[in-house]
Amino acid sequence: MRFYHPLAFWLGCLAITLGVLSHIPVFLHAAPMGYQMAGMPMSTTMLVGMALIPVGLLLSGYGVVPRVTALGHHDDTHLQFHVADQVPLNGEHWKLVTVLMVAVTVDVMKPATLGFVMPGMAAEYHLSSQSAGVLAVVALTGTTIGSVLWGMASDRIGRRAAILLSALMFIGTAICGAMPSYTWNLVMCFLMGLSAGGLLPITFALMAESVPARHRGWLLVALGGLGTAAGYLAAAGSATLLEPLFSWRILWLLGLPTGLLVIILNRYIPESPRFLASKGMLQEARHVLARFAGDTRSDKDVVVEPEPSQGGLKELFQAPYAGITWGLISAGISWGLVNFGFLLWLPTNLHGLGLSEYANSLVAQSALLALPGVALVIGLYHRWSSIYTLTLFTSLTALTLLAFALCSVLGLLTVGTLTACTALLLVSASGVIAMLIPYASEIYPVHLRGTGAGIVAASSKFGGIAGTLLGVSGLLNFLTASALVIATPLLGAALLLVRSGIDTRGLRLEDIRQAMQRKAQGTPPSQG
């Protein structure tokens, strides 16, 4: 896939890279002090480097974003999307999957890194646990806003352009590792979340529009499950190997090499042919289709999805998408409450119940037992039903929380029941997040796909913010009450999902829209 102005794009990349590298000498100068930089003045070189980064982003944006004059030039030819849906997975598909796995790993790695950064940061800046916790809230707020903004941007400037610009902004925020004050860390951490938060919804939108229909579901779920695991592994491995040598700051500076990896692999990130077709760029769409499916010429007519005049965010909350949008958002917020609320405060609650000797090892042991759950999710999503599998795991998460509450009330919280309940909760909650954004990237039409996936991704981050704030306020210190409160929206989400969603397995993206309209009208599914 070409750049519209290659020189501008690569000059922008160079400016951003130099802007980050200009902070490294000051970081290395602090080595004799254990890389403690608190209170150090900002050097002229650092200030110049900070100025280079936004200039580089503007240059790269000019180089990669399609010109307005290139959009809307339709011709009389037809694109054979059904051809691409019928081909087997080939080398081009696997290259794309591999690169997008890197993007998902980078997206997950940054929030996962927070837990490893906060102790060292709190010690260097002499912060209380509450003050240090502000960093997590600020970072999650950035990812929440970033998911929405980059998702909307991908529906306007393209999936590829949004991925590359998001990665470049992420590279620029690596300077967070050299910031001398906690305030600057908060600002840069917010911007880091703003950049990384966009990678997840865009990668799923691009994947959904590029792989064959019969392989789309399981590949999307596998990408979510394995990418999440890889992100946590990368964060933990980096902290284990590098933090003792270079302090917590190195975990932020790693944004430079990880982001550059996405840029270096850009040649394997094509633009979505469906996005190109929806914008009238049919010749470019044909070239991308040929890359994945060979010769796409045919005498048969295939209707390209029309882009309605209104479009935009509000369409997600109108028929036929209103019900499924609210269901996915409710499930995302509830998952955030479970992951960043109930599970995060579970060890604290176990201490309060007199089970402190098991608190530290219980979640780790349960996570080990939950590992086979990823394969189960992929199998059910692909072989049984996409919407019923998502509904099942959402309901199972709620029922497991109710089991926690019941065992607590009846005095049955033994090591065995706690391990079983925690393992089941990890399986069910992991299944929900592994399917949530993939399903959103399938269910919405091309002109809403990035926005819809971004809104759903943001909902899980928003739930994380709510869970963190509830925990800090002490409202999650009561296991029974917190389990009951969080289970309620999960059950509501499951009801909305089963009432408003459809099974997307094997359906072409062009057919899913019609199936959603029939669902909203109460018309029986087409047998064709």
Side-chain angles (χ1 to χ4, degrees):
M1 183 71 188
R2 66 181 177 86
F3 293 108
Y4 294 93
H5 292 282
L7 181 61
F9 177 81
W10 290 112
L11 281 176
C13 291
L14 179 62
I16 294 169
T17 303
L18 290 176
V20 176
L21 291 177
S22 68
H23 290 70
I24 301 301
V26 180
F27 170 74
L28 295 176
H29 183 71
M33 300 175 287
Y35 300 97
Q36 300 269 318
M37 300 177 65
M40 290 179 61
M42 299 276 282
S43 69
T44 303
T45 305
M46 292 173 69
L47 294 173
V48 171
M50 291 179 72
L52 278 175
I53 292 171
V55 172
L57 281 172
L58 290 173
L59 276 172
S60 293
Y62 179 75
V64 76
V65 174
R67 305 284 79 80
V68 174
T69 54
L71 304 178
H73 290 172
H74 293 270
D75 57 34
D76 295 329
T77 57
H78 300 278
L79 292 176
Q80 308 303 317
F81 289 135
H82 73 290
V83 175
D85 279 326
Q86 292 171 356
V87 301
L89 290 174
N90 54 46
E92 292 299 321
H93 291 119
W94 287 115
K95 289 175 187 175
L96 177 63
V97 170
T98 302
V99 176
L100 294 186
M101 177 72 75
V102 173
V104 173
T105 300
V106 170
D107 181 279
V108 173
M109 182 181 174
K110 280 304 114 178
T113 300
L114 281 171
F116 300 104
V117 163
M118 286 172 63
M121 182 181 288
E124 180 171 344
Y125 292 115
H126 307 291
L127 303 172
S128 65
S129 58
Q130 287 81 7
S131 298
V134 172
L135 182 74
V137 174
V138 167
L140 287 171
T141 302
T143 59
T144 302
I145 298 173
S147 294
V148 177
L149 294 182
W150 284 110
M152 295 174 67
S154 74
D155 285 336
R156 287 157 179 77
I157 66 174
R159 321 309 190 205
R160 180 174 188 260
I163 287 175
L164 294 180
L165 290 178
S166 173
L168 284 171
M169 183 177 175
F170 178 74
I171 292 170
T173 59
I175 62 175
C176 184
M179 292 295 101
S181 72
Y182 184 55
T183 301
W184 269 113
N185 269 277
L186 290 177
V187 172
M188 298 309 302
C189 202
F190 172 80
L191 293 174
M192 187 180 293
L194 196 68
S195 59
L199 288 173
L200 200 60
I202 310 170
T203 54
F204 281 108
L206 178 57
M207 174 83 90
E209 294 171 347
S210 303
V211 299
R214 67 177 180 272
H215 297 292
R216 186 182 63 237
W218 75 265
L219 266 177
L220 287 172
V221 177
L223 179 69
L226 296 177
T228 299
Y232 279 104
L233 183 62
S238 300
T240 302
L241 295 175
L242 300 177
E243 190 174 1
L245 300 174
F246 303 102
S247 83
W248 59 271
R249 293 180 177 275
I250 193 65
L251 300 181
W252 288 154
L253 291 171
L254 285 177
L256 175 62
T258 52
L260 279 177
L261 184 59
V262 177
I263 302 301
I264 292 169
L265 296 173
N266 83 86
R267 61 176 297 183
Y268 301 113
I269 307 176
E271 184 52 271
S272 159
R274 286 175 166 91
F275 170 82
L276 292 169
S278 74
K279 297 299 184 182
M281 304 170 71
L282 299 185
Q283 193 60 38
E284 293 199 23
R286 184 173 290 104
H287 289 156
V288 178
L289 279 175
R291 176 173 173 174
F292 287 105
D295 190 355
T296 59
R297 291 174 296 177
S298 173
D299 295 330
K300 297 179 181 179
D301 292 350
V302 174
V303 178
V304 176
E305 286 184 23
E307 183 172 352
S309 56
Q310 71 272 20
L313 191 62
K314 67 178 183 180
E315 193 179 347
L316 294 172
F317 301 94
Q318 298 172 347
Y321 301 108
I324 193 61
T325 297
W326 284 118
L328 291 170
I329 289 175
S330 300
I333 293 174
S334 302
W335 177 85
L337 289 170
V338 171
N339 194 63
F340 292 94
F342 187 85
L343 283 172
L344 201 60
W345 262 261
L346 182 59
T348 300
N349 287 326
L350 292 181
H351 280 285
L353 292 170
L355 298 169
S356 55
E357 57 186 303
Y358 306 107
N360 294 331
S361 61
L362 179 65
V363 175
Q365 293 173 355
S366 301
L368 201 59
L369 294 173
L371 280 177
V374 177
L376 177 63
V377 171
I378 295 172
L380 289 175
Y381 195 94
H382 179 59
R383 297 291 183 184
W384 178 40
S385 166
S386 57
I387 188 61
Y388 286 158
T389 304
L390 178 55
T391 304
L392 171 66
F393 276 77
T394 304
S395 304
L396 187 60
T397 305
L399 293 175
T400 307
L401 289 172
L402 293 177
F404 267 106
L406 184 63
C407 288
S408 178
V409 170
L410 298 178
L412 300 176
L413 283 179
T414 63
V415 176
T417 57
L418 279 171
T419 302
C421 286
T422 306
L424 190 57
L425 185 61
L426 289 170
V427 169
S428 57
S430 298
V432 170
I433 197 61
M435 291 181 280
L436 204 59
I437 304 174
Y439 188 79
S441 67
E442 291 187 291
I443 203 69
Y444 295 114
V446 63
H447 67 282
L448 289 175
R449 186 160 290 120
T451 303
I455 288 288
V456 174
S459 69
S460 65
K461 310 291 181 15
F462 179 79
I465 296 171
T468 302
L469 292 176
L470 287 174
V472 170
S473 67
L475 295 178
L476 296 181
N477 289 338
F478 307 96
L479 189 144
T480 303
S482 59
L484 291 173
V485 168
I486 298 174
T488 302
L490 278 166
L491 292 173
L495 181 62
L496 283 170
L497 290 171
V498 77
R499 288 183 60 183
S500 306
I502 62 167
D503 185 11
T504 57
R505 289 176 311 123
L507 288 180
R508 293 188 305 132
L509 294 176
E510 291 71 35
D511 297 331
I512 289 175
R513 184 177 190 174
Q514 297 177 6
M516 281 297 296
Q517 290 171 340
R518 288 194 296 269
K519 174 85 172 181
Q521 296 165 359
T523 306
S526 171
Q527 299 301 315

